[in-house]
């Protein structure tokens, strides 16, 4: 099994939202097939060693593609890639989730105690 360390929350904290999106876009360009503008199985296989994933099986790489392929075309668009990266980073959403929980608690307190 390939280990995965989640650096996205640290990157988000250091780079801010815009900087993180720029880094994700750069990662997408690194992995995409220049002819199609998509991350295909072949472009992922060719570029996987750049990410330290050279030992992954073809089935694992296909599984990664399938995980993020929302439109079913067998490849990842930049939007699908970015959504997948965020979905694979549960810690990235911890802070916004805490803010939302706090806001709901405050609203509930205000509505039900006033």
């Amino acid at each position: 099994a390939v280990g995965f360390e989640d650096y996205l929350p640290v990157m988000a904290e250091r780079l801010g939202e815009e900087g993180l999106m720029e880094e994700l876009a750069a990662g997408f360009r690194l992995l995409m097939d220049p002819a199609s503008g998509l991350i295909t199985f072949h472009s992922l296989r060719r570029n996987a060693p750049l990410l330290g994933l050279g030992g992954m099986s073809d089935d694992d790489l296909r599984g990664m593609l399938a995980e993020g392929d929302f439109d079913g075309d067998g490849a990842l668009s930049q939007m699908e890639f970015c959504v997948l990266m965020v979905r694979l980073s549960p810690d990235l959403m911890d802070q916004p989730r805490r803010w939302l929980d706090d806001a709901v608690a405050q609203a509930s307190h205000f509505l039900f105690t006033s």
Side-chain angles (χ1 to χ4, degrees):
V2 174
F4 172 74
E5 186 151 353
D6 187 4
Y7 291 108
L8 228 45
V10 174
M11 290 173 61
E13 186 176 318
R14 290 189 180 160
L15 301 172
E17 183 180 327
E18 189 172 319
L20 177 62
M21 294 310 294
E22 288 172 7
E23 285 300 310
L24 287 174
F28 174 80
R29 288 189 300 274
L30 177 71
L31 296 172
M32 78 173 195
D33 170 41
S36 67
L38 300 169
I39 297 175
T40 63
F41 169 75
H42 296 292
S43 70
L44 186 57
R45 163 57 57 217
R46 181 176 58 250
N47 296 309
L50 297 173
L51 302 174
L53 303 175
M56 290 187 74
S57 72
D58 287 355
D59 286 342
D60 288 339
L61 293 174
R62 284 188 181 94
M64 287 176 64
L65 283 173
E67 178 79 21
D69 183 15
F70 298 118
D71 62 10
D73 66 355
L76 298 180
S77 67
Q78 184 169 326
M79 182 187 306
E80 289 171 323
F81 174 77
C82 289
V83 169
L84 177 62
M85 292 298 98
V86 171
R87 282 184 46 224
L88 292 177
S89 177
D91 293 340
L92 185 64
M93 296 309 292
D94 277 351
Q95 186 64 40
R97 206 172 278 125
R98 282 193 292 271
W99 292 334
L100 180 59
D101 289 345
D102 290 346
V104 168
Q106 289 176 10
S108 296
H109 178 75
F110 176 76
L111 290 172
F112 298 115
T113 60
S114 297

